Amino acid sequence: MATTEQTKIPGTTAESVRPLLRLPEGPVDLGSIDPRSTPGFDGDKAAGKAALPLVGEPLAELQERLYAHGRAGGHRRVLLVLQGMDTSGKGGVLRHSVGLIDPQGVRITSFKAPSAEERRHDFLWRIRRAVPEAGIVGVFDRSHYEDVLIARVRELTTRSAITRRYDAINRFEAELVESGVTVIKCMLHISAEEQKERLLARLDDPTKHWKFNPGDIDERSQWRAYQEAYEIALERCNTPEAPWYVVPSDRKWYRNWAVATMLHEALEDLAPAWPPADFDVAGERRRLVEEDPVT
């Protein structure tokens, strides 16, 4: 169901975004999904940029309610998983979409190459340690899926081991949902042409050189292998409990709006209420009115 707030935002189609971006069950062909498309939004770039802060206010209130509910003993929480090729916009989503909500109720975890300690454990060990607490919106900047994507492309382990990891991921995510975690898995889908433009932009701007890694070009040479690895992982781990959403991301403004809107829809489904006071409100108000700390 479309939200009241969404129907008032110019440029939106008044449709819920999650069903539009949810990956259907079965074989996945990323080539059939247009990375420049804008499902749920028929306005232009200017309208898209203007729509984002309009999502922010109702999103921030719902997130504050969730946080307050967690502080009062509730168990619900949200986990946003961001996956995508280099330059797909994971950092942009963190700044522009997740940045709409109060940082005290957000926990962001960026997963890099595993440390020596992490390699001594099962691949999900470090992931489990980063699962958000009650009332928190957790964000994974890359995630446990690196262990079936990079491992497959670089042949870091056997195909049978990777197959076992798909099953382990499905069990893990089902456990999360059972424990009260709403899982939103977003694959930020960009084209090879758009990635090239973004990498060139980094090289042409001295203020962006720190973001460029020569290894990005080496990884880019494996584009087809990564697309195949994504298609397999998306298909194998697209469950009813924790489905995948493919977010067209060639248009940065749409990507940011879509992820923020999906967060809003998920929180609206949870409908967190303000927790009741566990003290005598009238009595505390009377005490405050009658006190005189100066004399």
Side-chain angles (χ1 to χ4, degrees), residues 1 32 39 64 99 107 149 168 187 189 227-228 237 242 254:
M1 177 182 292
S32 68
E64 187 178 6
R107 181 181 179 186
L149 295 169
M187 190 271 183
H189 179 43
Q227 295 298 291
E228 180 182 7
C237 300
Y254 173 78

Side-chain angles (χ1 to χ4, degrees), residues 17-18 20-23 30 33-39 80-85 88-90 93 97 184-191 198 234 244-263:
V17 173
R18 283 177 300 167
L20 297 176
L21 299 182
R22 181 168 177 168
L23 192 66
L30 288 174
I33 302 174
D34 183 1
R36 290 188 61 79
S37 62
T38 60
L80 174 65
V81 175
L82 300 176
Q83 282 289 155
M85 297 290 287
S88 60
K90 295 177 289 294
V93 167
S97 304
I184 308 170
K185 301 187 299 188
C186 295
M187 190 271 183
L188 307 183
H189 179 43
I190 63 169
S191 64
R198 293 181 186 181
L234 292 174
W244 271 104
Y245 300 93
V246 177
V247 182
S249 298
D250 273 14
R251 302 178 193 267
K252 297 178 182 179
W253 60 265
Y254 173 78
R255 174 201 68 205
N256 297 337
W257 173 82
V259 175
T261 300
M262 284 195 292
L263 268 175

